[in-house]
Every structure is written in structure tokens, then in C-alpha cells.
Amino acid sequence: MPNKPRDSRHGDDDSGGPRDRIAELIAPLRVRPGTKVRLPRDFDPGHTGDLVNKPAGTELLQRGVAMLADYQARLAAEHRRGLLVVLQALDAAGKDGTIRHVMSGVNPQGVRVHSFKVPSAEELGHDYLWRYGSRLPARGEIAIFNRSHYEEVLVVRVHPELLDNQQLPPSVRRRDVWEHRFHAINEFERHLSENGFRIVKLFLNVSKEEQRRRLLQRIDRPEKNWKFSAADLRERQFWDDYQKAYADMLSNTSTEWAPWYVIPADHKWFARIAAAGTIVHALMELDPQFPTLDSQARRELIQLRSALEQQ
Ligand code: AMP
Ligand code: MG
């Protein structure tokens, strides 16, 4: 695609404006439902798009963040639909920073972030979707899952002993357990989407070399030490298994109602624009509206206004 110069000073919401730029930016990141994904062959973690460089990107991110704030206000006021953002990635891919930057403009009352960790004993005593179901957004809300139900076909697949911990009856522990989980997750998400909840699924795709660099930084920079975990180094040894598990997840759970987007994550500035863009794009399609009054309710309001004025 040719690198089209665009004049950022004249950005507007018509054609050639941010709406079109966002749509163009995210289109190549979508996993077409039914395609078989191979990693790293199919998605380059270092991709930065043809449309933006870093300075133009900063401006675009600011715009995206502002649009997000506006849509979130409308979503809350409308109180009919909700948005679930699913964030998945390997360690040090930038999930936390992405949430911080992308959500920086929105009203905290309308957004909930939930970080899923190793399941508790109580959680392991239920079916594997139980703990995710209880954290879903309500109507009018945006919920962000920092890790999600997809861990159930990722970390649990890479480490079979975690499946042992789930105390499943023997009949469930067949070879097709992953196929069953893909199916159940797709149906779970179909149910949500048919009930007014939009799902945006983002896989922050970092390369092995960039992860190595970031883990080194967590050791070398004292202010980042708190983020370092020896467990991250252990997980890194399973890199190839994770790539396979992620590819299989993308191949089996990118659906028309809840497609995956693979966000190139080696350049943080681009990852943030792409993540913001994908979320804004979903909200643009939902297009929530401030409720308006019918003429009767409007007349009553005007009467109340004049009563208030005369006090
Ligand atoms: P972090 O996101 O770095 O705080 O780490 C959370 C840890 O919890 C990661 O190592 C995940 O792999 C782990 N985790 C999240 N969900 C599950 C799950 N369903 N089963 C087992 N481990 C999980
Ligand atoms: Mg971690």
C-alpha cells in the first residue's frame, strides 16, 4: 500500500478523517473467521502500518482516546449495550501500559478492569467459565479483561497439570477437550453478543527478542524491578508451545460476532494506537446514542422548568 501523506491539521470525521484512518489501520490486524493462523508466519510483531509514523501516531492516539471518552459517555447514558475488551498476551507484551494509555480519557465510573490470576480454590471448584461470567460488563459499561477465559486454552493447555487441578470428571478429559472449550467459548460469546454485549478481542503479539529486551530492562532498571518475576523466565522456556496454543486459539475462536485482532506489540506506540483504534471502531459500529425525550416528556420538562424559574 502506498504511503499516503495526510494533513493532520485538517482531520475531520468525514471521509479521509479519523474514522477512515482507524478502519484502514485495523483492517489488516483482524483474523478472518475460519482461517488457519500460523505464528509467527502470519503476523509480524514489528509491523507499524503504512498510515502512521510515531509523531503522527501520537496525534492519532490522542484523537482515539478522546473519541473513546465520548463514546463511553454515550454508551453509559444509553444503558442498552455493553463492551467487553479481552486482552491476551505473553509476559511483557505491554498489557498494563496499553490499558493505562488507551483508557486514560474515560470516566472511571464507566470502566472496570479485571486482572485474572491463577484461579483460587473456590474458582477451581466451579466450571472454568464461572469466574469470567461473574465479571462481565453491565449495560452501559466497558469491562476490560486483563487475561481472560482464553487462559483456559493457553496456560492450561501448555501446562497440563493445571487441567489436573480443575478436578474434571474423567469423561471430560478426552483428547478433544480443547475443541470442546473452543466451541463453548464461541457459544458463550455468541450469547453475549446476541444480548447486546460487544466483544473486542486483542492479542498483543510481541516477538521473542523484544520480550527478552523488556525482561532485561525489568532487571536493569530499579524502578522496573517490581515487575520482574522469575516465573516469566520459566514461561519463556515454553515460547514455542505458547505460539502454537495462541495460533490454535486464533484459528478456532475468531468469529463473525467476536473476531480476534492481532496487535503488533514490538513498538509500544503502535500497539497503543492499534488497540485504541480497534476499541473505538467497535464503539463506532455500536453508535450508542444519548436518550432523547418524546414530545410529551419534553413538555412536562418545560413545565417543571418554568416552575423552577419562578421559585
Ligand atoms: P500476571 O498477569 O503477570 O499478573 O500473571 C498472572 C498469572 O496468572 C499468569 O502467569 C497467568 O498464566 C496465570 N493465570 C491466569 N489465568 C489462569 C488460569 N485460568 N489458570 C492458570 N493460571 C492462570
Ligand atoms: Mg507477568
Side-chain angles (χ1 to χ4, degrees), residues 17 24 69 136 261 280 310:
E24 276 179 78
L136 292 169
Y261 288 84
V280 169
Q310 280 155 28

Side-chain angles (χ1 to χ4, degrees), residues 26-281:
I26 68 168
L29 313 180
R30 183 172 181 268
V31 178
R32 205 150 36 84
T35 49
K36 185 158 171 47
V37 174
R38 272 202 271 155
L39 294 175
R41 183 196 68 178
D42 295 337
F43 292 95
D44 173 12
H47 173 86
T48 54
D50 298 319
L51 297 170
V52 283
N53 52 30
K54 194 169 175 177
T58 307
E59 188 253 332
L60 192 59
L61 180 61
Q62 279 166 1
R63 241 171 215 279
V65 166
M67 287 169 85
L68 212 66
D70 175 50
Y71 277 115
Q72 188 259 328
R74 289 203 257 152
L75 188 76
E78 184 199 69
H79 213 266
R80 287 278 179 278
R81 276 85 57 83
L83 181 72
L84 172 64
V85 178
V86 166
L87 262 186
Q88 281 296 150
L90 291 177
D91 296 302
K95 294 198 300 305
D96 297 332
T98 299
I99 295 172
R100 196 169 61 243
H101 282 83
V102 170
M103 290 297 155
S104 56
V106 304
N107 178 352
Q109 293 211 75
V111 184
R112 280 195 286 165
V113 182
H114 193 75
S115 301
F116 290 98
K117 310 285 181 185
V118 176
S120 68
E122 188 193 14
E123 288 167 344
L124 285 172
H126 290 78
D127 76 275
Y128 67 91
L129 288 179
W130 180 76
R131 68 169 182 161
Y132 309 99
S134 67
R135 303 287 182 171
L136 292 169
R139 301 192 189 282
E141 282 183 351
I142 298 176
I144 301 176
F145 281 4
N146 182 355
R147 303 188 188 271
S148 69
H149 45 294
Y150 285 100
E151 289 293 332
E152 304 293 339
V153 294
L154 294 166
V155 69
V156 180
R157 190 172 190 183
V158 169
H159 298 287
E161 65 277 15
L162 296 176
L163 195 61
D164 297 338
N165 294 343
Q166 295 191 351
Q167 305 156 50
L168 303 168
S171 61
V172 180
R173 293 224 41 186
R174 292 177 310 223
R175 278 194 46 219
D176 52 7
V177 59
W178 309 116
E179 224 173 282
H180 280 249
R181 287 194 172 194
F182 292 144
H183 177 74
I185 287 171
N186 287 341
E187 290 306 311
F188 170 63
E189 293 178 351
R190 187 209 294 268
H191 163 75
L192 291 173
S193 94
E194 285 175 353
N195 281 277
F197 296 94
R198 179 70 179 243
I199 304 161
V200 174
K201 302 191 297 201
L202 308 177
F203 164 43
L204 300 190
N205 185 27
V206 75
S207 68
K208 195 172 185 188
E209 175 52 25
E210 180 61 18
Q211 189 200 49
R212 190 179 77 94
R213 231 179 43 79
R214 291 184 192 174
L215 292 176
L216 279 173
Q217 279 188 357
R218 288 181 181 186
I219 295 172
D220 294 343
R221 296 203 192 159
E223 77 280 10
K224 292 198 173 185
N225 284 171
W226 67 275
K227 272 210 146 190
F228 182 78
S229 142
D232 292 351
L233 289 192
R234 277 198 303 278
E235 286 311 278
R236 187 173 157 79
Q237 294 175 354
F238 296 93
W239 183 271
D240 292 343
D241 295 337
Y242 272 111
Q243 296 294 304
K244 270 204 209 104
Y246 265 103
D248 212 30
M249 173 199 82
L250 295 169
S251 307
N252 284 283
T253 60
S254 201
T255 55
E256 293 296 345
W257 55 91
W260 274 106
Y261 288 84
V262 180
I263 306 293
D266 276 4
H267 301 283
K268 288 181 179 175
W269 66 268
F270 185 76
R272 286 164 190 167
I273 295 164
T278 315
I279 299 168
V280 169
H281 188 254

Side-chain angles (χ1 to χ4, degrees), residues 12-27:
D12 55 47
D13 284 294
D14 302 315
S15 105
R19 279 169 167 270
D20 286 358
R21 288 175 78 187
I22 289 169
E24 276 179 78
L25 186 79
I26 68 168

